[in-house]
Amino acid sequence: MEKIIKKINGILTQINLPPTDAIPEKTLQRLINFEEYASNVEKLNTESIEEIKKRKMTKVSISNSHELNISRKTLYNDKILLKYVEAKIEKQVDYFNEKKLMKLQEQYQELKLQYEKVTDHLLDTSILQAEILQYKEKIEELIQDKNRLYMMLQKYEK
């Protein structure tokens, strides 16, 4: 009971409501009843999720099923059965969006790779621009040196 009240107090604090010792007894009892109900629903949902995950069809689950009496060897040797089972497995409902999640993870990895390539490219471009600037400055210095030398040469020729 103390654990439930502590949980209720935590939620009441989060939503800016008074603690359990400052609310009417009837309201507190309703909150306790609701918290027990919500905990039971969460427990049942968790158990149901686990049960659905256990019932997911795979080649291993099919070959281990006592109802079907199909060995792994039979499953793989009978090409028609194997192809049918694979098709059925592929078409089973994805209750937890596992396929969608896998696709999103693959897309994320691809985008991450593209991001790294773009950053590398930008870095390379920045380095090249800095080198170009240095070369331009060097060329400008060389042109000035050439002009100075040309002027000196003209003085000596006179």
Side-chain angles (χ1 to χ4, degrees):
M1 183 69 117
E2 190 176 309
K3 193 175 183 180
I4 292 175
I5 290 179
K6 196 172 189 178
K7 192 173 184 179
I8 291 170
N9 270 326
I11 294 171
L12 289 173
T13 303
Q14 287 176 354
I15 57 175
N16 298 321
L17 291 175
T20 53
D21 56 357
I23 60 175
E25 190 62 36
K26 274 188 172 183
T27 302
L28 176 60
Q29 190 56 50
R30 289 179 186 132
L31 289 173
I32 291 170
N33 291 342
F34 175 76
E35 190 56 46
E36 289 172 346
Y37 169 80
S39 294
N40 287 336
V41 168
E42 288 173 7
K43 181 182 174 198
L44 288 172
N45 288 345
T46 303
E47 290 170 357
S48 296
I49 289 169
E50 289 305 313
E51 187 63 32
I52 290 171
K53 285 181 180 179
K54 285 180 191 175
R55 280 195 242 124
K56 183 178 179 182
M57 284 189 295
T58 63
K59 292 176 194 171
V60 173
S61 70
I62 291 167
S63 62
N64 289 340
S65 172
H66 298 294
E67 297 170 32
L68 293 174
N69 198 23
I70 298 173
S71 69
R72 191 173 301 183
K73 184 177 178 182
T74 303
L75 180 62
Y76 284 97
N77 286 339
D78 187 338
K79 299 301 178 193
I80 295 172
L81 175 63
L82 178 62
K83 198 154 187 122
Y84 185 86
V85 166
E86 287 173 342
K88 200 68 171 165
I89 288 171
E90 184 65 31
K91 290 181 181 179
Q92 70 182 322
V93 177
D94 186 10
Y95 294 104
F96 303 107
N97 296 317
E98 291 170 335
K99 291 178 187 174
K100 195 174 191 179
L101 181 61
M102 285 176 56
K103 283 181 184 177
L104 287 173
Q105 286 173 336
E106 288 171 8
Q107 288 175 346
Y108 172 77
Q109 291 303 325
E110 288 174 19
L111 288 172
K112 190 175 176 183
L113 184 63
Q114 284 179 346
Y115 173 79
E116 289 170 1
K117 286 180 181 179
V118 167
T119 1
D120 288 347
H121 178 71
L122 289 173
L123 185 60
D124 290 345
T125 304
S126 296
I127 291 170
L128 289 173
Q129 286 176 341
E131 287 176 356
I132 289 170
L133 187 60
Q134 287 176 346
Y135 289 141
K136 283 181 178 179
E137 290 172 357
K138 186 68 174 171
I139 289 171
E140 188 63 39
E141 288 174 15
L142 290 172
I143 289 172
Q144 287 176 0
D145 286 348
K146 181 195 111 186
N147 289 339
R148 259 187 273 118
L149 289 172
Y150 181 73
M151 298 205 24
M152 288 172 79
L153 182 64
Q154 281 185 344
K155 280 185 185 177
Y156 287 122
E157 287 179 352
K158 287 183 182 180

